[in-house]
Amino acid sequence: MAVKSLLKQVGAALAIGAALWAQTSSAAPAADERPNFLIIMADDLGYSDVGAYGGEIDTPNIDRLASGGLQFTNFYNSARCSPSRANLLTGRYAHRVGMGENGGSMSVDVRTVAQEFKDARYRTAMVGKWHLTRATPLADPAEHLKWINHQAYLDRDFGDRATYPAARGFETHYGLIWGVSSFFDPFSLVEGFEPVPTVPKDFYLTDALSDRAVSDIESFAKEERPFFMYLAYTAPHWPLHAPEKAIAKYRGRYDGGWEQLQEARYAKQVKLGLIDPKTAPKTQLSGDWAQNPEKPWDQLSQAERAQASAKMSVHAAMIDVMDQGIGRVIDALKRTGQYENTVIVFVSDNGASPETMTSTRGYQPGYDRQSETRDGRKIHYGVDQPALGSATSMAGIGSYWANAANTPWRYWKAEAYDGGVHTPFIVSWPKGLKLKPGTRVHTLGHVMDIAPTFYELAGVKPRTEGQPPIDGISLTKALAGKKMSRGKPLFFEHEGSRAVILDDWKLVARAPGPKSKVYAPWSLYHLKTDRTETRDLIESEPKRAAAMARLWNEWSTSVHARQRSEP
């Protein structure tokens, strides 16, 4: 009897222990029921570069995600690469995690979404661009150029390894540590912590990232645990690099110029029902970016028009190749039986970029821009681009094309106007979304909302002790078709560009210049009747503007944004 009594007590203890383990190990449902998560982030993608948002570029795979899932029409980022990526990975305003401005290291004291998912027994992987590690240039400029030209120091680290993705919750990472690189022979390419010293002769970065994502997905399929993957493409960020076959497809398509492109995209957006001309009037294209002011199309020579058209053809080709890769990733999910229960989101880190590499104030070889290829061929900067699209070219599309690529919005990357901060946002989840496929969601959202949304969908409770507050909100109600409100203003600040959205109003100011100690003056727009920010109402609504400015000032102080003087 004593033995039976002892066995009964042991059995009871084991049952209690199992129950306690189940309660403390994870609040999520069983592993085979939890969804996978795949974030696809484009780099410097224009709002209307995607077909589903009004573009003419061939993006059938991204478009299918939109037509088969949910298409958000009122979604935002933080206007620049690093801040938006910090938002995405932490759910917080970038200033709270040391990333209010470009080029630093994200605070290692703040937990990432990858760390939270890894602790919840998810497999975690990152493929692509990081740009959240402070670069460590060599002191000697000549030696530094050798390094970024792949001509020396091939085993040198690109920054503090403690800030790398592989140290921030990602079990694997294949991609770039820095923010800018050749697509044919990329600098700062790593496998985990280790520099990748060479790449194959036919290497093209976008394809390599897509292929690696496919490989990781096939590997994940062999396990019962779900996965969290962050696929961060570098396309279509400058330099304008693409395979010749891809460029040829678009050659001549943009010979009509940027006004013609804007007109066509705007008309398509109206036809698709994305915008209403009564509340979103067509804007005037601008080429007034301070560092690279450009001439209007009708003032260009035939040779200049040909060069400009060619630039946009390469930009389109880069997006086309990215879309083809996304198609292969989706096929891998379907082939391995994981597609139905994978939450896929597609987003851009900011609007299209106005940079052209022609300014004498910064766009020259050095820091993260090569002067030669690995085998010693000179890389061409400036207006003269004899081999545009190739490894020896360093060019961007410029402000007019960027403005047109962001149709219907004004301006471009780094500005708090919608051309800088308004992004396509698509959510696909065949098993979990109950709304009609292709439904448009008009809820106000931000890239920092992705992490808390994923936490709720996975049943993951992020740690809060010793952490700054999570600023993003869960969008699960919006995913279910329910009305929801943020309940608080949405703030923006990047290197002096600034904005606050409150209800149907937006107070906004352009960037004052990188060295300016004075903000640009505010403008006020009523988004309900002027979605494209064309009619400044600050003189007729001074009290509203002042109240919103006070909110912005309180917020910017609370998150320790760099302060400037009012004009």
Side-chain angles (χ1 to χ4, degrees):
M1 293 294 293
V3 172
K4 287 184 179 181
S5 177
L6 179 61
L7 289 174
K8 189 175 182 180
Q9 292 177 34
V10 171
L14 288 174
I16 293 171
L20 289 172
W21 182 88
Q23 292 176 16
T24 59
S25 63
S26 174
D32 60 346
E33 296 178 6
R34 293 186 294 175
N36 304 308
F37 296 92
L38 170 60
I39 300 170
I40 303 174
M41 176 171 271
D43 195 355
D44 289 8
L45 181 81
Y47 181 80
S48 58
D49 278 336
V50 174
Y53 285 85
E56 74 298 325
I57 300 169
D58 293 335
T59 57
N61 298 295
I62 298 171
D63 296 345
R64 274 194 287 270
L65 289 177
S67 63
L70 304 180
Q71 183 179 5
F72 280 67
T73 63
N74 199 20
F75 208 84
Y76 287 86
N77 52 45
S78 288
R80 194 82 177 271
C81 306
S82 295
S84 292
R85 292 161 202 274
N87 298 150
L88 173 70
L89 291 169
T90 68
R92 297 168 172 91
Y93 281 115
H95 306 78
R96 293 198 197 276
V97 297
M99 295 305 302
E101 300 187 17
N102 230 34
S105 288
M106 187 168 67
S107 172
V108 295
D109 297 324
V110 179
R111 289 174 62 80
T112 69
V113 63
Q115 288 170 305
E116 301 291 0
F117 271 87
K118 185 178 179 181
D119 285 355
R121 297 194 71 253
Y122 268 73
R123 293 295 311 274
T124 61
M126 178 180 172
V127 181
K129 173 177 170 176
W130 177 241
H131 206 190
L132 295 169
T133 289
R134 184 179 299 280
T136 53
L138 289 165
D140 183 334
E143 292 302 303
H144 181 74
L145 276 177
K146 289 181 183 178
W147 182 34
I148 62 174
N149 289 345
H150 306 288
Q151 295 167 351
Y153 310 104
L154 299 186
D155 60 349
R156 187 176 190 265
D157 285 344
F158 304 107
D160 182 355
R161 288 189 173 205
T163 66
Y164 278 27
R168 306 306 312 276
F170 291 103
E171 296 172 322
T172 63
H173 171 231
Y174 174 78
L176 305 184
I177 296 299
W178 289 20
V180 176
S181 182
S182 165
F183 283 72
F184 298 107
D185 193 1
F187 180 73
S188 81
L189 183 64
V190 298
E191 177 68 65
F193 292 107
E194 301 304 321
V196 176
T198 61
V199 294
K201 202 168 185 178
D202 60 349
F203 184 92
Y204 184 65
L205 182 59
T206 304
D207 285 334
L209 299 181
S210 299
D211 292 345
R212 176 55 179 263
V214 168
S215 175
D216 284 350
I217 287 168
E218 291 172 343
S219 176
F220 293 151
K222 299 173 184 176
E223 298 191 31
E224 293 185 359
R225 288 191 291 160
F227 69 81
F228 168 81
M229 177 185 284
Y230 173 33
L231 173 54
Y233 285 103
T234 57
H237 194 294
W238 55 268
L240 293 171
H241 284 171
E244 174 55 33
K245 184 178 179 181
I247 300 171
K249 179 179 179 181
Y250 293 93
R251 192 167 283 120
R253 191 177 294 196
Y254 302 100
D255 288 354
W258 34 70
E259 287 98 345
Q260 188 179 98
L261 179 66
Q262 182 202 35
E263 190 73 39
R265 290 191 177 187
Y266 184 84
K268 183 177 177 182
Q269 289 171 332
V270 172
K271 185 177 180 180
L272 290 172
L274 286 167
I275 57 173
D276 181 346
K278 295 179 181 178
T279 57
K282 187 158 68 71
T283 62
Q284 184 175 352
L285 292 181
S286 176
D288 67 353
W289 191 54
Q291 284 190 275
N292 290 138
E294 295 180 283
K295 293 187 292 185
W297 189 260
D298 61 8
Q299 295 179 21
L300 298 181
S301 68
Q302 284 301 113
E304 288 171 330
R305 290 184 180 187
Q307 183 81 175
S309 174
K311 285 183 176 182
M312 193 62 192
S313 297
V314 182
H315 176 83
M318 296 169 78
I319 295 166
D320 189 314
V321 175
M322 176 178 67
D323 182 82
Q324 293 178 45
I326 291 170
R328 296 199 297 276
V329 170
I330 293 171
D331 287 346
L333 289 169
K334 291 180 177 179
R335 188 170 60 251
T336 56
Q338 300 179 96
Y339 178 71
E340 294 292 319
N341 199 28
T342 297
V343 180
I344 304 173
V345 302
F346 175 83
V347 68
S348 180
D349 61 350
N350 45 250
S353 170
E355 296 150 297
T356 63
M357 308 324 118
T358 59
S359 173
T360 57
R361 291 181 289 171
Y363 292 102
Q364 301 297 323
Y367 186 59
D368 56 4
R369 295 176 292 278
Q370 297 163 278
S371 62
E372 296 179 349
T373 62
R374 188 187 296 257
D375 56 7
R377 289 171 292 152
K378 180 183 177 182
I379 293 175
H380 296 273
Y381 288 71
V383 176
D384 181 26
Q385 290 289 333
L388 185 66
S390 75
T392 59
S393 173
M394 180 64 72
I397 58 174
S399 53
Y400 278 114
W401 282 129
N403 201 169
N406 293 325
T407 300
W409 319 124
R410 295 175 68 189
Y411 303 121
W412 38 67
K413 172 183 177 178
E415 297 289 356
Y417 276 80
D418 272 22
V421 295
H422 204 142
T423 174
F425 185 68
I426 297 166
V427 181
S428 169
W429 184 20
K431 182 178 179 180
L433 296 178
K434 304 306 180 186
L435 293 176
K436 181 181 177 182
T439 295
R440 293 207 178 107
V441 178
H442 306 299
T443 300
L444 176 64
H446 191 278
V447 68
M448 65 184 173
D449 299 337
I450 294 173
T453 303
F454 282 10
Y455 292 150
E456 183 170 351
L457 293 177
V460 171
K461 188 175 181 180
R463 296 186 193 177
T464 56
E465 186 177 353
Q467 299 288 297
I470 291 178
D471 300 294
I473 63 171
S474 173
L475 298 173
T476 52
K477 286 184 178 179
L479 298 183
K482 299 177 182 178
K483 288 186 178 181
M484 60 174 291
S485 171
R486 300 193 73 81
K488 53 187 176 182
L490 188 59
F491 298 102
F492 303 84
E493 193 283 328
H494 176 65
E495 296 184 355
S497 69
R498 52 185 181 156
V500 54
I501 296 176
L502 178 61
D503 300 325
D504 293 325
W505 293 86
K506 182 177 178 182
L507 188 71
V508 60
R510 292 189 65 186
K515 296 183 180 179
S516 175
K517 296 181 180 180
V518 181
Y519 291 115
W522 289 112
S523 292
L524 180 68
Y525 300 98
H526 186 219
L527 299 179
K528 190 173 183 178
T529 59
D530 181 22
R531 193 64 197 82
T532 46
E533 303 168 304
T534 63
R535 297 184 293 273
D536 187 355
L537 301 178
I538 198 161
E539 291 188 4
S540 61
E541 293 274 356
K543 290 183 179 179
R544 185 187 302 276
M548 293 177 71
R550 282 194 298 272
L551 290 174
W552 186 89
N553 287 328
E554 291 169 2
W555 168 81
S556 68
T557 301
S558 71
V559 298
H560 306 293
R562 180 157 67 96
Q563 301 296 301
R564 293 169 172 82
S565 301
E566 290 294 337

